[in-house]
Structure formats: C-alpha cells, structure tokens
C-alpha cells in the first residue's frame, strides 16, 4: 500500500509540475502578444505572472527574463518604486537559486544589473549609473564571456553618449566595432551604427546623430570593398588550397610513378633471374644426364673390367695348376728349383685373387655392407688374439677398447684390422703393438693400429693406398693389401689413412661413421 501511495504521489507531483510549466509558458506567450498590441498594462501583468510561475518552478533563466521585461514596463510608465522592488525580489531569488546550485549565474546577474542601470539613466543619476557600470564590469571579468563583454561595450557607449561624454562613448563604440571587424561580422557593425543612431535620437543629441549617420554612410560604402576583399581572400585561400591539393596529388602521382618504375624494374629482374634459373636448371639437368651416362658407362666398364680380370684369372688357373703339379714332380729331383717354382705359382694365384677382389670392390663402392651391433671391446681382443702367434716374443701387445656397442660390419672390419696387425707383427721385432678404439662423437669413432716397427719411408706414404705404383717380384708381395683395405673402409662408410706425423714406426687410423 505504501509503495502504491508513493507512486501515486509522484505521479500527481509530476502532473502538477507539467501543468505549472505550461501555465508559465502560456503567461509568457500572452504577454508577448499584448506587448505587440501595445497593451502595456496587460503585458506587464502577464510578465509578472510568468515570472512568479517560473520562479516557483526554479527556472531562473525564464524567470529573470520575464521579470526584467516587467521591470521595463514599470519604469516605462514611471513606476520606479515598483520597478526597484521587483529588482530586489529578483536579486533575492537569484541568491537563493545560486545557493542551491552552488554556482554564480553571471548572465542573469548582468541582465538584472543592466536593467537597474537603464532606470538610473532615465532618472539622470550618473553616480548610480557609474556604480552599476562598475558592477557590470566586474561580472564580465569574472564570467570571462565574450558575449557579455560586447553587451557591456554597448551599455557603456549608451551611457557615455546619454550624458554627453562623447569621447568615452566613441572609445567604447570603436572598440566594439573593431572587435566585429576583426571577426568579419560586418552585419553586427551595421547594427552598432543603427543602435548608436537610436541612442542619439532618444537623447535628442543632433550632433551625435549627424556624426554617427555620416560614419554609417562611409561604413556602408566601405563594407562593400571589405566584402569584396574578403571574397578575394577566400578565393585566394581556395586557390592556395587547390594548388596545395594539386601539388600533393602530383607528389602522390610521382610516388606512384616511381613505385611503378620500381615494380617494373623488379619484375624485369625477377624475369631475368627466372630465365637464369631456368638456364641453370636446364644445364643441371643436361649435366646430370651426362653424369648419369658417365656413371653408367663407368659401371659398365668396371663390370667389363671385372669380367675381363676374372676371365684372365680363369684362363691362368689351368696353367698355374699344371705348373704346381710339375713343381711337385720336380721336388724329388731338384727340391730348391721346385720350391722356387711353387712359391711363384702361389704368388701368382694370390695376385689373381687380390686383383679380382680389388676390381670387385671398385665396381661395388656404392653398395654398402650389411651392419650389425656388437661389443667393440670383446671384438678388438679377439682380433688381436688371432695374430698373437705371429708377433715376436719381445713385442708387447696392448688392446685399449672400452666395452661399447657399435653398429657396423664386423667381418669386413676384422679383415682390415688383421691385415694391419699382420703387417705390424711382420715388421716389429721389439717395442709395442697397440690396437685402440676411441669414441669421437655420437656417430664417429677411430680404430687405431700402432707399432714400433721399421716404419714406411716418407716418400712411399703418399702412394701406399694406390695399387700398381711399383713393379716388383710378386714373391715379395703384390702391394694390393692396403688398397683393398682402403676400399673396404670406404664401403664401411669410413676412411683409412696413415699418420704421417708418427715417426716411431707406423700408425694407421680407421675413421668410421657408425
């Protein structure tokens, strides 16, 4: 119930407020109509009613506007006491509203003070007029409003001319006109002259009216020139802006032209690069095709060479077999000659085997061996054990290989190491023979065979891995062992080399990728 009552009360208050506002507006409209019909008494009464209605609503702007018009209608008919009393009421009303709003209503204070000033001008009381002017000046300074400042100049000029202070009046009037001229508000300048003429007519000041009218005629003629000058200035400004726009567009166009030229240049460069790339690609394809043909031809030649060597070996085999049989038959008659013949026959047979293997390895370098995982420490120990019976008793054998798992072809790796260890045993009569395994990375290792034997002359180290570098008796060796080991190392994805810096015998290093 309470909520319903509260809502109804608010609605009633709202409706009453709207009704009161409508009444105030009606009073003001009726007052304006009466003023136009020159029914000043009725207009004054209606403006007073409008003032009271707006005051009750707290609409200080409309209230002061209606109140000052009612004041003017009072002193117009010389009811000065009523006019001043109404001004005091409006002053008290403004003070009350300013306390509510917590701010100063400069526009309304100026309007009310100006109305008092007009009454004192009509009463010919210059002291009070000057006091009101000072009040207006303070209000303008505090408000900082250009509109109020212009209104003050109007008011000052009217006061000075009314009381015959033409120089002060001209100063205020000229200051006002100068402001309007600077702002190019020529219509307001004309209104100033008309207003001054009206002041002179009201004050019956014929010299002022004549002088002002002459200035107004001069101004009317000059304003045409000023308007023309302003129009010319506006046209010049438009021309400058158009020229600036043209220059900006020209700059943009030049920039676009440079961009187009740059893009065209870039396109030409790209086309040239594509043509060059196409030429290089075509050349690569041709060279690749030639390389494939060369490789194919080389493989074919290698196969033919292997077959040719095998064919020669097969052709030699019956003859060598008969020579071996003859050597055995001759052993009873001439054992030395038989032994020499048998040794050379065996050397020829071994040479035939080695040369076939060498040819087969060369033709199959691109075919890697099968790999398996094994323990390198155990492997190195077993390999060294296989050559121990060939090692001189005064030679110390050392195997340094950690127990690590590696993945490669154990059989072919053993062939390389056995050949290197057999050579070391053959040429080392004292000192040491080492077999070492070293891990150099995640997939890189070294297998090193070192001895303190007689070593290899420096001039021969360059060619020890090349076959057929010298002609010698096959009984002393065919020199194909190390070349075969080097080819096997390559097929194991590794490399076999001799340490040329080692001078205390021989050191061979087998590098493997595992």
């Amino acid at each position: 119930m309470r909520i319903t009552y509260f809502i109804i009360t608010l609605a009633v208050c709202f409706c009453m407020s709207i009704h009161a506002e409508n009444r105030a507006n009606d009073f003001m409209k009726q007052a304006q109509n009466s003023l136009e019909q020159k029914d000043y008494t009725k207009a004054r009464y209606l403006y007073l009613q409008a003032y009271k209605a707006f005051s009750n609503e707290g609409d200080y702007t409309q209230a002061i506007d209606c109140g000052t018009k009612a004041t003017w209608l009072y002193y117009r008919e010389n009811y000065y006491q009523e006019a001043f009393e109404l001004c005091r009421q409006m002053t008290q009303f403004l003070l009350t509203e300013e306390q509510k709003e917590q701010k100063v209503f400069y526009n309304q204070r100026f309007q009310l003070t100006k109305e008092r000033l007009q009454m004192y001008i009509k009463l010919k009381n210059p002291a009070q007029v000057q006091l009101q002017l000072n009040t207006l000046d303070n209000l303008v300074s505090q408000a900082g409003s250009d509109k109020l400042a212009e209104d003050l100049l109007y008011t000052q000029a009217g006061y000075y001319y009314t009381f015959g202070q033409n120089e002060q009046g001209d100063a205020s009037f000229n200051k006002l006109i100068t402001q309007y001229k600077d702002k190019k508000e020529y219509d307001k300048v004309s209104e100033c002259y008309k207003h001054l003429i009206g002041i002179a007519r009201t004050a019956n000041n014929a010299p002022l009216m004549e002088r002002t009218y002459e200035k107004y005629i001069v101004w009317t003629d000059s304003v045409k020139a000023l308007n023309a000058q302003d129009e010319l200035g506006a046209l010049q400004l438009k021309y400058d802006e158009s020229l600036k726009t043209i220059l900006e567009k020209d700059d943009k166009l030049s920039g676009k032209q440079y961009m187009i030229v740059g893009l065209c240049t870039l396109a030409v460069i790209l086309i040239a690069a594509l043509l060059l790339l196409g030429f290089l690609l075509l050349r690569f394809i041709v060279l690749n095709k030639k390389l494939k043909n060369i490789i194919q031809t080389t493989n074919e030649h290698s196969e033919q060479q292997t077959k040719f060597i095998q064919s020669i070996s097969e052709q030699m085999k019956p003859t060598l077999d008969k020579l071996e049989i003859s050597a055995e038959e001759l052993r009873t008659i001439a054992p030395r000659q038989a032994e020499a013949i048998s040794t050379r026959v065996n050397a020829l047979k071994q040479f035939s085997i080695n040369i076939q293997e060498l040819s087969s390895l060369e033709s199959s370098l691109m075919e890697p061996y099968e790999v398996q995982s094994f323990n390198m420490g155990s492997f190195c120990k077993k390999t060294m054990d296989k050559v121990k019976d060939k090692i001189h008793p005064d030679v110390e054998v050392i195997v340094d290989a950690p127990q690590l798992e590696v993945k490669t072809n154990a059989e072919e790796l053993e062939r390389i190491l056995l050949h290197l260890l057999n050579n070391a045993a053959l040429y080392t009569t004292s000192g040491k023979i080492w077999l070492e395994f070293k891990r150099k990375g995640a997939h890189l290792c070294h297998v090193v065979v070192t001895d303190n034997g007689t070593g290899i002359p420096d001039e021969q180290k360059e060619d020890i891995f090349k076959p057929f570098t010298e002609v010698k008796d096959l009984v002393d060796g065919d020199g194909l062992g190390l070349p075969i080991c080097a080819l096997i190392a390559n097929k194991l994805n590794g490399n076999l080399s001799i340490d040329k810096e080692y001078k205390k015998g021989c050191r061979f290093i087998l590098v493997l990728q595992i």
Side-chain angles (χ1 to χ4, degrees), residues 104-173:
V104 180
F105 303 144
Y106 292 108
N107 290 336
Q108 284 69 38
R109 281 178 173 271
F110 186 93
Q111 187 178 359
L112 187 54
T113 305
K114 181 180 175 183
E115 205 60 42
R116 283 197 178 95
L117 183 142
Q118 296 299 333
M119 283 194 289
Y120 286 122
I121 288 176
K122 193 172 181 182
L123 289 170
K124 305 294 183 177
N125 189 341
Q128 285 294 333
V129 172
Q130 187 62 50
L131 184 63
Q132 302 304 317
L133 280 175
N134 294 338
T135 303
L136 291 176
D137 191 34
N138 290 332
L139 287 172
V140 170
S141 300
Q142 294 172 13
S145 170
D146 293 338
K147 184 178 179 181
L148 292 181
E150 292 175 2
D151 199 349
L152 176 62
L153 289 174
Y154 259 124
T155 306
Q156 287 174 339
Y159 159 71
Y160 290 134
Y161 285 130
T162 299
F163 288 94
Q165 300 178 20
N166 293 336
E167 291 184 2
Q168 292 91 329
D170 288 341
S172 298
F173 187 73

Side-chain angles (χ1 to χ4, degrees), residues 190-201:
S190 299
E191 290 178 5
C192 284
Y193 280 113
K194 292 177 183 178
H195 183 70
L196 183 57
I197 291 170
I199 293 173
R201 185 182 292 114

Side-chain angles (χ1 to χ4, degrees), residues 14-130:
F14 180 70
C15 292
M16 291 178 64
S17 174
I18 293 175
H19 178 68
E21 184 178 354
N22 289 336
R23 284 188 61 199
N25 287 325
D26 289 340
F27 283 137
M28 187 172 64
K29 290 179 181 178
Q30 292 174 23
Q32 290 172 350
N33 291 332
S34 298
L35 191 62
E36 290 174 358
Q37 295 171 8
K38 298 184 178 180
D39 188 350
Y40 299 117
T41 302
K42 184 178 180 181
R44 183 179 67 229
Y45 169 78
L46 291 171
Y47 272 126
L48 283 171
Q49 297 303 315
Y51 162 71
K52 293 176 181 178
F54 282 125
S55 298
N56 292 332
E57 291 298 316
D59 188 346
Y60 59 87
T61 302
Q62 296 278 31
I64 297 302
D65 188 54
C66 293
T68 50
K69 287 178 179 176
T71 301
W72 173 72
L73 289 169
Y74 267 131
Y75 72 76
R76 181 181 180 278
E77 297 179 8
N78 297 323
Y79 296 136
Y80 288 101
Q81 184 176 355
E82 290 82 353
F84 281 115
E85 178 61 28
L86 182 56
C87 285
R88 281 192 292 271
Q89 292 178 13
M90 287 189 286
T91 301
Q92 187 60 42
F93 168 69
L94 279 179
L95 288 172
T96 303
E97 293 300 316
E98 285 177 344
Q99 289 176 357
K100 290 180 182 178
E101 298 289 334
Q102 293 295 312
K103 65 178 182 179
V104 180
F105 303 144
Y106 292 108
N107 290 336
Q108 284 69 38
R109 281 178 173 271
F110 186 93
Q111 187 178 359
L112 187 54
T113 305
K114 181 180 175 183
E115 205 60 42
R116 283 197 178 95
L117 183 142
Q118 296 299 333
M119 283 194 289
Y120 286 122
I121 288 176
K122 193 172 181 182
L123 289 170
K124 305 294 183 177
N125 189 341
Q128 285 294 333
V129 172
Q130 187 62 50

Side-chain angles (χ1 to χ4, degrees), residues 182-250:
D182 292 340
K183 296 178 181 178
K184 299 186 184 302
E185 296 177 349
Y186 302 137
D187 292 338
K188 290 187 177 180
V189 175
S190 299
E191 290 178 5
C192 284
Y193 280 113
K194 292 177 183 178
H195 183 70
L196 183 57
I197 291 170
I199 293 173
R201 185 182 292 114
T202 303
N204 292 322
N205 191 337
L208 174 62
M209 184 185 301
E210 182 180 358
R211 179 160 51 88
T212 305
Y213 188 76
E214 289 176 357
K215 290 182 178 179
Y216 176 63
I217 296 300
V218 173
W219 162 252
T220 304
D221 294 335
S222 65
V223 74
K224 297 178 181 179
L226 289 173
N227 286 328
Q229 185 177 0
D230 290 342
E231 290 177 2
L232 180 62
L235 290 174
Q236 182 65 37
L237 182 62
K238 288 183 179 179
Y239 172 77
D240 293 340
E241 290 177 352
S242 300
L243 184 61
K244 183 179 179 181
T245 303
I246 291 171
L247 291 174
E248 289 176 353
K249 290 184 176 180
D250 187 48

